[in-house]
Amino acid sequence: MSDMLSIGLSSLKAYQTALTTVSENIASAGTAGYSRRTTDIREVVAPAGITTGTAQGMGVVARGLTRAADVYKTAEVRTATADLARTEAGATWLQRVEESLTGNKLGDRLTGFFNSAKAVAADPASLAPRAAMLEAASSIASSFAATGTALDGAMEDLDKSAEAAATQLNSLARSLGRVNAGLGRQQEGTSGQAALLDERDRLLEQMSAITDVSVTTDTSGRAIVRVGGVAGPVLVQGENTGAITYQRSDEGLVAYTLHFQGEGSPVFPNGGVLAGFAEGAERIAGALDEVNKLATAFAEGINTVQAAGEDLDGTAGAPMFAAGDPAYKLTLMLDDPRGIAAAAPGKGIRDNGNLAGLEALRGSGRFEDTIASVTSANAAALSARRSVAEAQTAMRDSAVSERAAATGVNVDEEAVDLIRFQQAYQASSRVIQIARDTLNSILEIR
């Protein structure tokens, strides 16, 4: 009779644990990163040396929790996350370049300036078209300055974003180090261990959005994390964590350095926003370099044409523009419409021969074509990035769905288990009740 009570009691405890686990699964079904748990219920093993039939039917016991996990599908999600984050980050800075190049209408201002010179050529002695040409020249200077300033602003924002991302990655690494420490103290098969493993995977997925991570785990589930590929330097090992720093040269070359246990190692991210920032910095620096070169060539070319002619007072033309430092800070030096050198030397105020040099410069300098080419190339790259991002979004969504199918909570299945374990729990309660009633009946007979 005591065996019957023992069997009923062990079953009651086991299925109570199972019911708790199922209830937790259902309650956490919508929680991001939560992996399904199952209770490991096993038959009570007879003590060593007992071989008689009386050792049979000793009940069941809950041996612990089993957390659903699929290391391959989880790794696929991290890889897809890193690829998508890199592409989206790159597209963000390409968009900033496009806004800088088109928002200040530099191409239109260049066209307007050269067209205004044609109006002066039509009536060289008139002050009105000359004033209009100087106004167009002022717009050119402002447009160059605004375009360069916008690109510089984009680079400053990129620097801040990259530094913030590195700081966030370092914070996640420290959090993972604490999780590793907790895993080292947890008993296997406990709810606490399962929760820490969920948190570990959540942190790793967040880290993969910042940079590509290579992850290995020990027998306790503690993660060893390398950045920049399987051969990259270690960022997290047990409770020990490193820190990544960001630097950028004037040429737009980005350098990441990982500091771990007193040593610094270069990091070359292949995924995540850190890789996207590196690409973006090169794009911005390239566009800024083109604008500076264009500003320098434009100012020098216009000033050369000015110097070759005479103004309305019959004197050699003075410089119209001065390139700044950086060159895009173009300054309009000429403020008197009479100073435009339209005439060839000695030809008089009604001559427009020197303006032919301006039209020739327009063709040879290809200023309008250059800015249009830079803008078109950037737009094509941006369009390509967006197309890739769409494909990578679909790939990541698929990877997340496959992982969820393997490790997530299916509420319908959990509802079935809930009913099953409830029935088993009630049956166990009934066994105890019957054993008690039987024992009472025996005692009453005596």
Side-chain angles (χ1 to χ4, degrees), residues 179-201:
V179 169
N180 280 344
L183 285 170
R185 296 189 295 266
Q186 283 291 332
Q187 184 178 353
E188 186 176 357
T190 62
S191 178
Q193 184 200 41
L196 285 172
L197 291 173
D198 282 352
E199 181 63 15
R200 178 202 67 187
D201 288 349

Side-chain angles (χ1 to χ4, degrees), residues 5 26 35 42 61 93 160 191 214 240 256 276 323 392 427 433:
L5 285 170
I26 294 173
S35 293
R42 299 183 185 180
V61 65
W93 301 109
K160 293 177 182 177
S191 178
S214 175
N240 300 316
Y256 297 105
Q392 290 177 336
Q433 181 181 357

Side-chain angles (χ1 to χ4, degrees), residues 13 18-19 98 113:
K13 291 180 178 179
L19 281 169
E98 181 175 85
F113 173 77

Side-chain angles (χ1 to χ4, degrees), residues 118-430:
K118 292 181 178 181
V120 174
D123 190 2
S126 175
L127 288 179
R130 287 170 171 265
M133 184 176 174
L134 279 190
E135 183 63 29
S138 177
S139 295
I140 279 286
S142 298
S143 186
F144 266 112
T147 301
T149 299
L151 289 169
D152 267 343
M155 189 69 92
E156 291 176 3
D157 290 344
L158 184 147
D159 288 340
K160 293 177 182 177
S161 298
E163 290 170 356
T167 299
Q168 183 185 6
L169 179 62
N170 297 337
S171 177
L172 291 171
R174 291 192 296 270
S175 296
L176 183 58
R178 291 191 290 269
V179 169
N180 280 344
L183 285 170
R185 296 189 295 266
Q186 283 291 332
Q187 184 178 353
E188 186 176 357
T190 62
S191 178
Q193 184 200 41
L196 285 172
L197 291 173
D198 282 352
E199 181 63 15
R200 178 202 67 187
D201 288 349
R202 275 193 290 264
L203 290 170
L204 289 171
E205 186 172 340
Q206 291 175 44
M207 293 170 73
S208 69
I210 300 175
T211 186
D212 52 322
V213 294
S214 175
V215 182
T216 56
T217 56
D218 62 16
T219 55
S220 298
R222 293 173 294 191
I224 302 171
V225 181
R226 294 179 180 272
V227 292
V230 294
V234 174
L235 176 62
V236 180
Q237 186 171 29
E239 300 178 38
N240 300 316
T241 61
I244 284 182
T245 57
Y246 162 84
Q247 289 182 314
R248 177 185 56 79
S249 68
D250 292 338
E251 293 75 25
L253 298 177
V254 168
Y256 297 105
T257 304
L258 173 58
H259 306 273
F260 185 79
Q261 296 184 336
E263 296 185 2
S265 303
V267 179
F268 304 98
N270 297 306
V273 295
L274 294 188
F277 291 141
E279 292 179 355
E282 290 186 18
R283 290 284 184 174
I284 295 172
L288 192 56
D289 183 58
E290 289 290 342
V291 170
N292 281 325
K293 288 179 179 177
L294 195 66
T296 299
F298 179 77
E300 291 177 350
I302 298 299
N303 291 344
T304 298
V305 172
Q306 273 284 108
E310 292 181 351
D311 60 18
L312 281 181
D313 297 324
T315 59
M320 184 176 292
F321 294 103
D325 184 19
Y328 71 72
K329 294 182 177 180
L330 207 62
T331 303
L332 179 63
M333 304 296 292
L334 191 65
D335 57 4
D336 184 357
R338 298 178 61 84
I340 295 175
K347 297 294 184 178
I349 62 173
R350 295 192 177 280
D351 182 68
N352 63 3
N354 192 51
L355 291 179
L358 199 62
E359 189 63 23
L361 174 67
R362 182 182 191 179
S364 62
R366 301 184 67 251
F367 305 110
E368 296 154 281
D369 290 343
T370 298
I371 196 65
S373 177
V374 172
T375 303
S376 298
N378 185 82
L382 177 57
S383 177
R385 285 289 189 283
R386 286 171 173 167
S387 297
V388 171
E390 290 180 4
Q392 290 177 336
T393 298
M395 293 172 63
R396 184 183 183 278
D397 290 345
S398 176
V400 170
S401 296
E402 290 180 6
R403 182 188 61 181
T407 67
V409 176
N410 185 311
V411 177
D412 293 336
E413 292 179 359
E414 297 299 323
V416 172
D417 284 343
L418 187 65
I419 295 172
R420 181 164 61 90
F421 290 137
Q422 281 178 334
Q423 291 173 342
Y425 182 85
Q426 291 169 352
S428 300
S429 300
R430 182 61 176 161

